[in-house]
Amino acid sequence: MAEFLASMDNYAPIIPDAVTDYYLNKSGFDCDDVRIKRLLALATQKFVADIATDAFQFCKVRQSGNRKSGKERKTVLTMEDLTAALADYGVNIKKPDYYS
């Protein structure tokens, strides 16, 4: 574990340190160790990537059922795909009633 944390010194996550600091401070997390903050940013990056991958899979399944011709269509990620992917992780989202 110590070796992994030492490697976090040179790692630059996709989520910038300033963004990580902002949201960690907003949630009440106070830590001066940059390695721990980068480790949390890496975990967040993995979570978002997993959701995006799952949403893409839902999109591919949905579009494979809608293909009527042999033409290749662009992949279009919809809110329904994202909602289904987030539901697998226990996150429930829905549109407000006035958008229905």
Side-chain angles (χ1 to χ4, degrees):
M1 184 68 169
E3 185 178 316
F4 181 72
L5 280 176
S7 69
M8 294 305 288
D9 285 330
N10 298 329
Y11 178 73
I14 291 176
I15 301 170
D17 290 337
V19 173
T20 304
D21 287 340
Y22 173 78
Y23 284 105
L24 289 176
N25 288 333
K26 189 173 181 179
S27 68
F29 184 82
D30 186 26
C31 179
D32 293 330
D33 192 355
V34 175
R35 299 174 302 174
I36 300 297
K37 291 178 184 179
R38 288 184 180 169
L39 182 62
L40 290 170
L42 180 63
T44 304
Q45 177 181 332
K46 169 84 168 84
F47 181 68
V48 171
D50 287 347
I51 291 171
T53 301
D54 290 351
F56 180 70
Q57 293 302 320
F58 280 110
C59 178
K60 285 175 59 175
V61 168
R62 179 181 49 81
Q63 286 187 339
S64 69
N66 292 340
R67 288 232 167 96
K68 295 179 182 161
S69 64
K71 288 179 13 180
E72 285 297 318
R73 303 172 88 189
K74 286 186 177 180
T75 302
V76 178
L77 185 68
T78 64
M79 193 65 184
E80 290 84 22
D81 302 326
L82 185 59
T83 302
L86 285 170
D88 288 347
Y89 291 92
V91 179
N92 184 18
I93 59 171
K94 65 176 192 169
K95 291 181 185 176
D97 293 332
Y98 54 85
Y99 283 116
S100 299

